[in-house]
Amino acid sequence: MGRVNSWASRARGVLLAALAGCGGAADEPVAEAPASPPIVLDQFGYRPSANKIAFVRVPVTGFDAGAAGVAAETYQLIDAAGGRRVRDLRPAPQAGGNVDPASGDRVWTLDFSAVTTPGTYRIVAVGGGVSSPEFEIAGDVYAPVLREAFRTFYYQRAGLEKRAPFADLRWADRASHLGPGQDRAARDFFRKDDAATALDLSGGWYDAGDFNQYTNWTATYARQLLLSHAENPGAWGDDFGIPESGNGTADVIDEALWGLDWLARMQQADGGMRSILGRAAASPPSAATGPSYYGPASTSASLSAAASFAYAALVSPDAALARNFTRRAVAAWDWAAANPDVVFYNNDARSDAVGLGAGQQEVDDNGRNDKRFAAATYLFALTGEARFLGARDAAIGATQFGRGGPIDPYQAEVQDALVFLAGRSDTPAALKAQIVRAYGALKPAGRSAYGVPLGTVHWGSNGTMAASGVLQHQAARLASAADTTDPYLHYLHGANPLGKTYLSNMRARGAENSVDQMYHAWFADGSAIWDSALASRAGPAPGFLVGGPNPAYVRDACCPRGCGSAANNRRCETPLPPALAHPVAGQPPLKAYADVNTDWPVNSWQITENSNSYQVAYLRLLAHSVD
Ligand SMILES: [Ca+2]
Ligand SMILES: [Ca+2]
């Protein structure tokens, strides 16, 4: 692979223009409009058996309105190697020929599902001079994509040297957060001066573009990695190039064990789970020298860990490890049962904890009930003890599912447990039937012309798209529903109005227009090495799924003139592609994105930050298409 085409060259020109504007006068003109690709599709390609739909677009509203005139009458699928015409394609209008409100585009589909011959292709307009990116049709087209996307968890590991051959040399780094006062001697956030509070909480993963780590969320990532292996064992080999490759265990299980090992360090002697580890950030991560602090045990963190330790014990390949996880799961459960209402709001005045971590990991009463349901489900399966069955059946009624609500992409903790129950022989038939019915009713409420649902375009929309695709696979397996997962995967791979593959730095894997810049403390704005895939020496490490379009994006409220100094105010005017140079509220939702990683006050983390939560949902989705 490693293709170069005019599209990438044009993007580079835009980017260099933007960089040239950087540091200039505030009235420097913004960079020229980014290209508005006329034909968008999955830039990696398609499996031979898959539905294969490309989209022809004529933008009518949004930053690129008027960038293309009319759709051609006929398109051709071309064999990219020999230039041979393979098939004529007639565009079929979407949304009744009207403008699609999600994108502001008029959209036509080109269906070439009937073409199954492996090869490299592109689509051109007859007489129009426009071309799609190149793409493959191949049975293993996503295997290298899964490899890179999975390896982001390795690059997110704290306390481990990233070195060849596991790390690409461009992203090699010494072990982070092992200096004085850091993860091996992390102190209680509320007793920072007390050396007696120091604990070894090393290991784990940076949660997102900052390096904090949260027990509630880490527990979910570890369990979902294990679930992906259970769902698609054929996708997950022992050869993904991490330090545990070749040890006889699937690497996705090894990665989950890395997270579970950190969770074990976060467990108190009395079983309670400490809620958070706050870490300093720098580029590269090993340059961070600030201290690490932990927050207290909480009910929600203990229930989250109880669920994941219990599930890990159920699937553990090692009997001694399973016993260890069982002991930890029961201890965490017992602590939560004895302390049912202990909350801790990190970085929040409610818990006097401003400055510890970033995102809010605490949940409400419904959230604790959901966690109790999930933990009791796995603990009953693991131990057969009646008290867990009683707790499970007491909690299920207050879940969204139990209240008759829909299966949606925001309830994975409960729904994963429901799918688990549907597959157990000791689950009551009536409950199984209720689960199957709920999944059978799974229907997105309306779709955009690009095939993805309306109503899920918000902060982290790409993660929600991935989670929606996972649900469709679950529905297909449980309820024999038609499998309509393809739009989600292909949307994330470039079949969207920006023609953007929402994974970082994937040109070398065949995505001509992948994420150039992401909000991440390592791959920071202004870094000569890691800022930009096109303009820096290395760019961000490959394979990170970024948050994606977010019509609620706003620059900091201090902009344009109240940011404290003239220099700060000028940062508001950082040259950006027009999607952000104009109010994003004026953009159609699916265009509310720009490929930038500028820090405060532009606050690009609302659109281009990664998160292990998006990543693990994407891995689960993609693994369904790898074998
Ligand atoms: Ca392995
Ligand atoms: Ca940048």
Side-chain angles (χ1 to χ4, degrees):
M1 300 202 212
R3 300 185 286 263
V4 175
N5 70 7
S6 60
W7 221 99
S9 306
R10 196 156 30 152
R12 179 190 290 270
V14 170
L15 184 92
L16 293 177
L19 290 176
C22 240
D27 59 356
E28 198 83 33
V30 296
E32 74 178 83
S36 182
I39 306 170
V40 296
L41 42 63
D42 190 318
Q43 289 166 30
F44 300 113
Y46 302 84
R47 306 178 92 197
S49 60
N51 291 330
K52 306 175 193 73
I53 309 286
F55 299 90
V56 172
R57 50 185 302 273
V58 172
V60 177
T61 63
F63 71 92
D64 58 349
V70 294
E73 282 186 21
T74 308
Y75 293 78
Q76 287 179 343
L77 181 69
I78 301 288
D79 180 335
R84 185 177 58 88
R85 182 183 67 82
V86 175
R87 177 175 288 252
D88 286 340
L89 303 170
R90 291 280 175 180
Q94 300 299 296
N98 297 311
V99 176
D100 168 41
S103 60
D105 297 343
R106 273 188 227 286
V107 180
W108 291 258
T109 54
L110 302 171
D111 188 339
F112 53 103
S113 301
V115 179
T116 59
T117 307
T120 304
Y121 299 88
R122 59 195 171 92
I123 293 173
V124 299
V126 174
V130 300
S131 170
S132 77
E134 287 184 3
F135 61 92
E136 316 286 327
I137 295 178
D140 61 354
V141 65
Y142 304 125
V145 186
L146 184 71
R147 178 184 175 88
E148 296 294 10
F150 170 70
R151 286 167 47 77
T152 62
F153 270 90
Y154 166 73
Y155 285 115
Q156 292 282 89
R157 288 188 189 184
L160 180 83
E161 182 184 8
K162 285 121 197 176
R163 60 182 172 84
F166 315 117
D168 182 301
L169 283 174
R170 289 171 288 181
W171 301 286
D173 190 24
R174 291 175 294 114
S176 73
H177 301 93
L178 297 184
Q182 295 189 305
D183 290 5
R184 281 182 177 155
R187 293 189 185 183
D188 185 337
F189 179 77
F190 296 104
R191 295 162 67 193
K192 291 179 179 172
D193 296 331
D194 186 351
T197 67
L199 296 171
D200 182 356
L201 303 177
S202 60
W205 300 295
Y206 320 139
D207 187 74
D210 61 79
F211 299 162
N212 302 298
Q213 191 166 7
Y214 309 84
T215 299
N216 275 324
W217 299 339
T218 298
T220 300
Y221 310 149
R223 190 171 67 256
Q224 293 188 337
L225 289 171
L226 294 173
L227 282 165
S228 183
H229 180 265
E231 290 158 353
N232 291 292
W236 293 111
D238 188 20
D239 58 353
F240 280 70
I242 62 173
E244 299 83 2
S245 294
N247 66 357
T249 300
D251 288 347
V252 72
I253 293 178
D254 290 317
E255 197 63 50
L257 291 174
W258 176 265
L260 288 159
D261 185 62
W262 180 81
L263 285 176
R265 292 174 194 267
M266 293 293 281
Q267 189 164 34
Q268 298 175 163
D270 65 0
M273 292 295 304
R274 297 180 185 90
S275 49
I276 180 173
L277 179 64
R279 294 191 182 102
S283 176
S286 66
T289 56
S292 303
Y293 295 113
Y294 59 85
S298 69
T299 308
S300 61
S302 300
L303 290 170
S304 293
S308 292
F309 282 136
Y311 184 74
L314 284 164
V315 300
S316 174
D318 177 274
L321 206 53
R323 282 193 298 277
N324 181 290
F325 287 147
T326 300
R327 181 178 58 77
R328 291 185 178 281
V330 172
W333 173 272
D334 287 344
W335 192 93
N339 302 274
D341 301 306
V342 178
V343 298
F344 178 67
Y345 297 95
N346 67 285
N347 197 26
D348 192 307
R350 282 174 289 182
S351 294
D352 201 21
V354 172
L356 178 58
Q360 181 52 258
Q361 46 75 44
E362 191 52 281
V363 299
D364 60 12
D365 287 344
N366 284 332
R368 266 179 296 284
N369 179 76
D370 289 354
K371 292 177 184 299
R372 196 171 282 115
F373 167 70
T377 295
Y378 301 123
L379 275 162
F380 174 63
L382 180 63
T383 66
E385 290 182 27
R387 59 178 177 140
F388 297 122
L389 179 61
R392 184 191 88 186
D393 291 346
I396 194 170
T399 64
Q400 179 167 299
F401 163 81
R403 288 181 274 118
I407 300 294
D408 70 30
Y410 309 101
Q411 309 280 321
E413 206 161 22
V414 168
Q415 289 161 184
D416 286 339
L418 293 174
V419 173
F420 175 83
L421 284 173
R424 303 275 305 176
S425 60
D426 58 352
T427 302
L431 177 54
K432 277 192 189 179
Q434 189 185 350
I435 295 168
V436 168
R437 266 199 314 278
Y439 273 88
L442 178 64
K443 285 189 196 69
R447 288 180 181 275
S448 85
Y450 292 90
V452 296
L454 303 168
T456 55
V457 188
H458 45 59
W459 192 328
S461 62
N462 284 344
T464 307
M465 296 288 180
S468 298
V470 171
L471 289 182
Q472 294 288 342
H473 278 286
Q474 290 175 331
R477 286 189 178 181
L478 270 179
S480 305
D483 189 348
T484 55
T485 48
D486 288 353
Y488 303 98
L489 190 64
H490 302 316
Y491 170 90
L492 295 173
H493 289 175
N496 58 60
L498 301 180
K500 175 68 71 179
T501 296
Y502 285 114
L503 300 171
S504 60
N505 205 352
M506 291 292 278
R507 271 177 305 141
R509 296 290 179 216
E512 286 81 346
N513 183 27
S514 60
V515 167
D516 179 66
Q517 303 178 36
M518 58 185 285
Y519 184 83
H520 191 289
W522 185 350
F523 317 123
D525 186 40
S527 165
I529 306 173
W530 297 296
D531 179 358
S532 158
L534 291 167
S536 309
R537 293 213 294 279
F544 284 96
L545 185 70
V546 298
N550 174 12
Y553 163 85
V554 285
R555 296 188 191 201
D556 196 276
C558 72
C559 288
R561 283 181 291 278
C563 296
S565 70
N568 285 347
N569 290 341
R570 274 197 297 279
R571 292 176 57 101
C572 295
E573 309 303 323
T574 304
L576 297 176
L580 282 189
H582 304 298
V584 168
Q587 295 297 321
L590 295 180
K591 290 177 182 169
Y593 179 84
D595 201 331
V596 294
N597 57 358
T598 318
D599 206 326
W600 181 86
V602 171
N603 298 359
S604 64
W605 54 77
Q606 298 163 78
I607 48 175
T608 65
E609 187 175 7
N610 66 302
S611 157
N612 296 346
S613 69
Y614 317 151
Q615 198 74 25
V616 75
Y618 172 71
L619 292 176
R620 283 179 82 180
L621 174 63
L622 184 60
H624 283 285
S625 294
V626 176
D627 47 28

